[in-house]
């Protein structure tokens, strides 16, 4: 009766592979949502907060220079310009990091979908192999009785 056991084993392996594929696809959807959330938080929270902080820093710097009696020319203007460049560079780095985190999450989702497809394929192969094993078992049993 190995024939029925082989068939049952193949169907069970395929069912397990399909179940694993569903889990992998669910996890891929979660990664897609995470990718969207990363950019949403960055654009709606991090960037406005950074911009507000930049305005505060620049305002305090201008007040400090002006209260010391310096005019906004020459070295003071150069210092303000350098500060602006540094702050813009920091903002660019924040943008890069957010985009990199988003891309990483999207790539993980793609990989999870590929793993799901591979799980399904392995399940189909296991099922087909079980039919061959069942056929071999049936032929072996028939040969014993001939």
């Amino acid at each position: 009766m190995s024939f029925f056991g082989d068939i049952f084993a193949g169907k069970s392996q395929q069912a397990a592979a399909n179940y694993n594929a569903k889990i992998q696809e669910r996890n891929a959807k979660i990664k897609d949502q995470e990718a969207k959330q990363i950019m949403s938080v960055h654009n709606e929270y991090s960037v406005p907060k950074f911009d507000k902080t930049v305005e505060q820093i620049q305002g305090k710097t201008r007040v400090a220079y002006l209260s010391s009696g310096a005019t906004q020319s020459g070295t003071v203007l150069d210092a303000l310009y350098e500060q602006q460049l540094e702050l813009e560079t920091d903002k660019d780095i924040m943008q890069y990091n957010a985009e990199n985190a988003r891309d990483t999450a999207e790539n993980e989702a793609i990989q999870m979908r590929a793993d799901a497809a591979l799980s399904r394929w392995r399940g189909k192969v296991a099922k087909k192999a079980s039919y061959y094993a069942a056929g071999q078992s049936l032929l072996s049993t028939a040969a014993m009785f001939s």
Side-chain angles (χ1 to χ4, degrees), residues 2-27:
S2 176
F3 171 80
F4 292 112
D6 289 334
I7 298 270
F8 181 74
K11 288 183 179 182
S12 295
Q13 287 174 330
Q14 185 177 27
N18 288 340
Y19 176 76
N20 287 336
K22 284 181 184 179
I23 290 172
Q24 289 163 330
E25 286 179 346
R26 180 184 55 88
N27 290 342

Side-chain angles (χ1 to χ4, degrees), residues 88-143:
E88 287 299 321
T89 300
D90 290 346
K91 188 174 181 179
D92 289 343
I93 291 169
M94 284 175 53
Q95 180 71 26
Y96 172 81
N97 289 339
E99 289 174 359
N100 190 37
R102 177 204 59 206
D103 293 347
T104 299
E106 288 174 348
N107 287 335
E108 287 174 4
I110 290 167
Q111 184 60 47
M112 288 175 182
R113 285 190 185 87
D115 290 344
L118 182 60
S119 290
R120 281 198 182 85
W121 178 80
R122 285 181 176 157
K124 287 178 185 177
V125 168
K127 184 177 177 183
K128 190 175 282 189
S130 74
Y131 287 138
Y132 293 133
Q136 181 183 6
S137 172
L138 195 58
L139 290 173
S140 295
T141 304

Side-chain angles (χ1 to χ4, degrees), residues 58 80-90 92:
Q58 289 174 329
L80 290 171
Y81 178 73
E82 285 296 320
Q83 183 183 53
Q84 179 67 29
L85 281 179
E86 286 179 27
L87 292 169
E88 287 299 321
T89 300
D90 290 346
D92 289 343

Side-chain angles (χ1 to χ4, degrees), residues 12-100:
S12 295
Q13 287 174 330
Q14 185 177 27
N18 288 340
Y19 176 76
N20 287 336
K22 284 181 184 179
I23 290 172
Q24 289 163 330
E25 286 179 346
R26 180 184 55 88
N27 290 342
K29 286 180 184 179
I30 291 169
K31 281 294 178 183
D32 284 336
Q33 292 170 349
E34 181 182 317
K36 288 177 186 175
Q37 186 178 17
I38 287 168
M39 290 310 294
S40 177
V41 167
H42 173 72
N43 292 331
E44 295 173 18
Y45 176 74
S46 298
V47 171
K49 184 177 179 184
F50 181 80
D51 288 343
K52 184 177 179 181
T53 303
V54 166
E55 289 175 18
Q56 291 172 347
I57 290 171
Q58 289 174 329
K60 288 179 182 178
T61 304
R62 281 193 186 97
V63 167
Y65 279 127
L66 293 174
S67 64
S68 70
T71 59
Q72 284 194 341
S73 63
T75 306
V76 172
L77 199 56
D78 290 343
L80 290 171
Y81 178 73
E82 285 296 320
Q83 183 183 53
Q84 179 67 29
L85 281 179
E86 286 179 27
L87 292 169
E88 287 299 321
T89 300
D90 290 346
K91 188 174 181 179
D92 289 343
I93 291 169
M94 284 175 53
Q95 180 71 26
Y96 172 81
N97 289 339
E99 289 174 359
N100 190 37

